[in-house]
Amino acid sequence: MVDFSVGAPDRDANAALDARLLDASIGDNDIEGFLFGQNVDFLLDSLAIFSKLFDGDITSMLIFFTMARCSVNHLNREKVPRAEATEGVFSDTFRRPVAILSISDYLNLPYETTRRHVMKLVERGLCRRQGSRKFLITAETLSRPEFRALARQTVDLSKTYLQVIGPFIDTYGVDPARVALPSQHNERPPRLQPTADGILPIVTLGGT
């Protein structure tokens, strides 16, 4: 897990790491096992940070951010910052409402469970109903101070994580074929075809 009390990287420690990376006894399986552990730590640390805004309710948190990202998926195909996003957030003019069924399918959650959590988000003022079946996470919600603070925390977490895995990636490289995402092949998981309810999957970067 990440220790946020850690200061600047230790140069001696980095030098020792560089030397160890050149050790021929370290094989691909060793590296994969180490990086897998780091990925799990990153996931758990991320969940701990993100879920604080939802009183520790990880399911509501996942549904909220899935809805938020689904609504702007069509704007983020190139995975670069977009001029249309103000401070990283697209206005509601660009956002598309999403149906509960789309979220349920994407997260592989029961429909009723998804509906219940969406209604909870509506009650908390974190989600807006659009018609009878669609819902929207608005730009105003994502621009609130608590979400800005969350963005800063996650950036710091990502930087700390990249400091750890960066030397391994630089030394051993990445096989694109093993990390290719469905959208990179113009493929989608079953039942997640583009519909008026929202476009999936959500592989995005340029704005929130």
Side-chain angles (χ1 to χ4, degrees):
M1 301 279 181
V2 172
D3 179 359
F4 288 101
S5 66
V6 175
D10 186 323
R11 292 184 179 181
D12 292 337
N14 284 346
L17 175 59
D18 291 340
R20 180 158 169 72
L21 286 174
L22 297 176
D23 186 344
S25 66
I26 299 179
D28 289 345
N29 289 339
D30 299 313
I31 299 301
E32 287 183 359
F34 171 77
L35 292 178
F36 175 72
Q38 294 302 308
N39 287 336
V40 171
D41 283 350
F42 181 74
L43 171 62
L44 296 176
D45 287 327
S46 297
L47 288 175
I49 292 173
F50 277 82
S51 63
K52 286 180 180 178
L53 292 182
F54 301 87
D55 301 323
D57 189 333
I58 292 177
T59 302
S60 285
M61 179 270 292
L62 288 173
I63 289 172
F64 175 88
F65 284 108
T66 300
M67 294 177 69
R69 300 304 280 168
C70 283
S71 70
V72 295
N73 183 59
H74 58 291
L75 301 169
N76 284 316
R77 296 299 185 185
E78 297 178 2
K79 299 179 179 60
V80 295
R82 294 287 298 266
E84 298 93 332
T86 302
E87 296 185 353
V89 178
F90 290 110
S91 72
D92 292 347
T93 303
F94 297 102
R95 312 182 78 81
R96 294 179 177 176
V98 183
I100 293 175
L101 181 60
S102 294
I103 304 303
S104 171
D105 283 348
Y106 185 82
L107 294 175
N108 196 29
L109 290 173
Y111 179 87
E112 182 55 31
T113 298
T114 307
R115 188 198 67 79
R116 187 172 66 252
H117 282 276
V118 170
M119 293 301 103
K120 184 189 299 184
L121 293 172
V122 171
E123 292 174 3
R124 292 187 56 186
L126 295 174
C127 178
R128 178 192 298 170
R129 183 188 290 272
Q130 299 282 102
S132 61
R133 297 174 56 237
K134 299 178 184 178
F135 298 83
L136 185 70
I137 307 296
T138 67
E140 181 276 329
T141 297
L142 294 170
S143 298
R144 294 177 186 176
E146 58 266 35
F147 285 98
R148 292 296 185 188
L150 175 65
R152 288 190 293 271
Q153 279 187 289
T154 55
V155 168
D156 289 341
L157 176 63
S158 297
K159 288 179 179 178
T160 305
Y161 173 70
L162 289 173
Q163 285 179 348
V164 174
I165 71 168
F168 292 90
I169 301 302
D170 292 340
T171 301
Y172 290 90
V174 176
D175 181 357
R178 296 179 62 182
V179 296
L181 299 167
S183 65
Q184 293 174 318
H185 297 298
N186 294 319
E187 298 173 354
R188 290 182 172 84
R191 302 175 65 195
L192 295 183
Q193 299 302 317
T195 69
D197 297 331
I199 297 182
L200 299 174
I202 48 166
V203 182
T204 57
L205 182 66
T208 302

